[in-house]
Amino acid sequence: MSKHEVKFNIRTQKCNHANASQVGARVVLNGWVRRRRDHGGVIFVDLGDYTGCTQVVFQPDKGKVFELAQSLRSEYVISVSGVIRMRPEGARNTAIMTGEIELEATELTILSMSEPVPFPIQDDIDASEDVRLRYRFLDIRRPQMQKILRIRHRVCRAAREYLDDLGFCEIETPILTKTTPEGARDFLVPCRFSHGQFYALPQSPQLFKQILMCAGMDRYYQIVRCFRDEDFRANRQPEFTQIDLELSFVDEEIIMGLIEGLVVAIWDAASGVSLEVPFMRLSYDDAMDRFGVDAPDMRFGMELVDLSSVFKEADFRVFRDIVEAGGVVKGICLEAGAELSRKELDELANFVATYGVKGLSWIKCESGKFTSPIAKFLDEGMFQRVGDLFEVRDGDAILIAAGSFRQVSAALGALRVHLAKTRGLIEDESQLSFTWVTEFPLFEYEEETKRYLAVHHPFTSPLLVSENDRENFRSAPHKLKARAYDLVLNGQEIGGGSIRIHDRDVQSRVFELLGITPSEAEAKFGFLLNAFTFGAPPHGGIALGLDRLIMLISGATSIRDVIAFPKTASGVDLMVDAPSPANEAQLEELGLKLADRVREQK
């Protein structure tokens, strides 16, 4: 043993495991001083580890042990030996597991000391997120963080056990790989032994898991790290984790049923909650028409209703012109919304304006009569038709927006969620409403570049059920649906996947529609296309966002709280101070030279 090392007694149990059945027993506890109190010459210490705390009592008659206890401060690491005894009547704390007993100390060893901590090691702290992330090693000591990271462990273990029982094989795919277009920018890694050449960090294992299907592995999974260099948004991280699956000889029903079983196993292991299956199903078109978004929160109603047929006959030229130009007029009915003031209605109009909608009209139903700023443009019959479409009741308000389908859907879809949150329309916040959204568009057309983009990714199989579908594949690709599916929970996408293309000719046609030339396809995806020429099975898969799953299971409000060492919203690791500059020697070895403006910034 080094002269700097401290000899101590190894713990006989963890700090939260002492109980009344051990009264009179001699035990050893190791942990951190969470709190120290002096009461009339007696010192009390709450000694904690990840399991919880036990109260330790240091009596003055213990001589050197008591003297040493007087020097203890918060977050000192100590080893204590002593005897378990019952706390005196009136001093017991039924709120904690060890509240009936305490440890009367006979030995004490200080294993390491601590500087004053920047925030207390407890859940109710008033510290900024930046401070918490800079001192993440302290933040993780807090009970809530310990709980979340152990939930994460249980979820991963449950997923592995479930998938192993179903014949899946866990296979690692490369981290240093080839740059391919997958939606976001790649993180690039310069290669020291091939100057001017770069690896890319994978946005997903997509191509490799399809290769594994071509290789006959049949059922693959991986709890995998993925990397996307994209603009940071709420609950996004540049590196994140997926539960990634791929299966051969399957269809959508098999994959969705299997994932429902996985989600049931995860929730049971993590929280003891039993989920009911099968989950609700909703087509993309239905989701957009009724809820305005492709990831709808189904815990409350307030569905969007199309009012175009009413307003195309009205004298209100603003709405009528929009309908005649191919736009839509839609509305939502807010229960008890007639109580909204003009100021509140103006605030809602400002809210939807951020989505490109110009104005928000309203109709109130009060005392059996309809009132509205646009009343002079509508006759009584039109009011009644609108009321009937919503099954409006006295005291309700109908909020109406007009514009392109995309604008109105985005505006009212967001307004629906905003009103549900601000007006408490979700009766049970703990309710879990899982929904499958299926049959997404295969492509979207970008007017700015006059080209098609893949809604999911270029390897998603088109839905070619009828001759009409096959004709659209040849001449009207914007009408095509994809064999794609997303799993949504309470308005958040937690997973997405598709049946993949396994036919080289179909894949080549999709590349053609996306503006990827044969030479570009060969350069970027040649290894996958080559695999298709040697017998590729029908296959499909899905990826579940592990971080988002843990956030929803644990009740955390930020995805950063469920990742041990996350980045800030600007992509910085405050604890290790990354990213950081490379020195000149490193750059020279990589064959890189910084631009003058970057040098000036450094």
Side-chain angles (χ1 to χ4, degrees), residues 34 49-50 119 121-123 125 132-133 135-150 560-566 575:
R34 295 295 184 227
D49 58 21
Y50 75 91
F119 50 81
I121 309 303
Q122 60 193 44
D123 286 339
I125 59 172
R132 289 176 50 217
L133 293 181
Y135 295 94
R136 191 62 160 182
F137 45 84
L138 296 178
D139 194 39
I140 291 176
R141 287 186 199 171
R142 297 189 303 117
Q144 182 62 16
M145 284 299 302
Q146 290 277 330
K147 177 183 175 183
I148 289 172
L149 292 180
R150 292 178 192 281
R560 291 184 285 276
D561 280 343
V562 306
I563 299 170
F565 303 106
M575 188 180 76

Side-chain angles (χ1 to χ4, degrees), residues 83-283:
V83 176
I84 299 291
R85 72 180 192 185
M86 295 296 292
R87 292 193 194 187
E89 290 286 348
R92 295 173 186 173
N93 181 3
T94 58
I96 61 174
M97 294 284 290
T98 59
E100 289 186 306
I101 57 89
E102 58 193 9
L103 178 67
E104 185 174 6
T106 57
E107 293 182 56
L108 169 63
T109 304
I110 297 177
L111 302 176
S112 67
M113 295 181 287
S114 171
E115 296 289 327
V117 291
F119 50 81
I121 309 303
Q122 60 193 44
D123 286 339
D124 53 336
I125 59 172
D126 184 20
S128 70
E129 185 178 62
D130 280 2
V131 171
R132 289 176 50 217
L133 293 181
R134 182 166 284 111
Y135 295 94
R136 191 62 160 182
F137 45 84
L138 296 178
D139 194 39
I140 291 176
R141 287 186 199 171
R142 297 189 303 117
Q144 182 62 16
M145 284 299 302
Q146 290 277 330
K147 177 183 175 183
I148 289 172
L149 292 180
R150 292 178 192 281
I151 286 174
R152 188 181 181 108
H153 161 72
R154 292 200 299 274
V155 166
C156 291
R157 183 179 64 188
R160 284 191 165 97
E161 290 174 352
Y162 174 84
L163 295 170
D164 184 65
D165 287 344
L166 292 176
F168 281 81
C169 185
E170 184 173 11
I171 304 174
E172 295 175 344
T173 52
I175 294 298
L176 295 176
T177 184
K178 182 183 182 71
T179 178
T180 56
E182 290 191 45
R185 290 181 296 271
D186 287 321
F187 281 103
L188 298 178
V189 181
C191 182
R192 178 180 58 82
F193 38 85
S194 294
H195 286 179
Q197 302 293 309
F198 296 84
Y199 296 109
L201 303 183
Q203 296 184 34
S204 77
Q206 182 63 48
L207 300 181
F208 287 102
K209 63 183 184 178
Q210 289 191 251
I211 289 288
L212 287 170
M213 296 303 101
C214 295
M217 287 308 302
D218 195 71
R219 290 192 169 195
Y220 139 95
Y221 86 93
Q222 187 179 186
I223 299 178
V224 61
R225 209 71 162 163
C226 301
F227 307 85
R228 291 181 186 169
D229 183 7
E230 56 189 351
D231 295 333
F232 297 105
R233 290 182 280 167
N235 288 329
R236 295 272 181 159
Q237 285 279 290
E239 52 180 320
F240 56 96
T241 307
Q242 293 180 168
I243 303 176
D244 199 56
L245 312 174
E246 198 77 9
L247 306 80
S248 293
F249 305 109
V250 293
D251 60 14
E252 295 91 328
E253 292 298 325
I254 292 174
I255 292 176
M256 287 191 280
L258 186 148
I259 292 301
E260 288 176 359
L262 173 60
V263 171
V264 167
I266 283 173
W267 249 264
D268 179 58
S271 62
V273 172
S274 297
L275 303 178
E276 293 185 10
V277 293
F279 298 153
M280 189 184 311
R281 304 281 181 91
L282 200 63
S283 73

Side-chain angles (χ1 to χ4, degrees), residues 264-454:
V264 167
I266 283 173
W267 249 264
D268 179 58
S271 62
V273 172
S274 297
L275 303 178
E276 293 185 10
V277 293
F279 298 153
M280 189 184 311
R281 304 281 181 91
L282 200 63
S283 73
Y284 169 87
D285 287 344
D286 204 14
M288 294 300 295
D289 188 48
R290 293 168 56 191
F291 305 101
V293 293
D294 59 8
D297 192 334
M298 305 295 285
R299 291 174 296 173
F300 61 99
M302 213 189 320
E303 295 186 16
L304 281 61
V305 173
D306 197 322
L307 304 174
S308 303
S309 61
V310 177
F311 282 97
K312 73 178 181 181
E313 300 172 2
D315 289 333
F316 190 38
R317 294 295 311 179
V318 175
F319 281 6
R320 197 166 86 183
D321 289 349
I322 287 173
V323 175
E324 289 175 352
V328 296
V329 180
K330 285 195 166 190
I332 55 176
C333 183
L334 177 61
E335 186 177 341
E339 67 187 24
L340 290 173
S341 67
R342 185 57 184 263
K343 179 176 179 292
E344 290 172 317
L345 289 166
D346 288 343
E347 289 172 350
L348 297 182
N350 292 334
F351 178 88
V352 299
T354 62
Y355 295 88
V357 170
K358 297 177 180 178
L360 184 72
S361 298
W362 53 264
I363 298 173
K364 293 183 178 182
C365 181
E366 298 176 285
S367 303
K369 295 183 178 180
F370 292 105
T371 59
S372 172
I374 59 173
K376 63 182 179 181
F377 302 109
L378 303 175
D379 59 36
E380 190 61 35
M382 288 178 176
F383 271 125
Q384 194 58 55
R385 285 171 63 189
V386 171
D388 290 345
L389 285 169
F390 285 101
E391 298 181 0
V392 70
R393 295 182 296 183
D394 204 54
D396 292 348
I398 299 166
L399 307 174
I400 305 169
S404 71
F405 180 84
R406 184 181 289 249
Q407 288 174 329
V408 171
S409 296
L412 292 183
L415 180 61
R416 174 180 177 268
V417 174
H418 172 73
L419 290 170
K421 291 178 178 178
T422 57
R423 295 179 66 85
L425 302 182
I426 302 172
E427 295 181 4
D428 181 5
E429 287 285 351
S430 66
Q431 179 185 350
L432 300 173
S433 182
F434 291 90
T435 306
W436 285 107
V437 179
T438 64
E439 297 182 32
F440 285 79
L442 185 65
F443 301 113
E444 59 183 353
Y445 189 73
E446 189 176 61
E447 288 290 346
E448 185 177 337
T449 59
K450 304 298 182 185
R451 59 189 288 261
Y452 288 106
L453 302 175

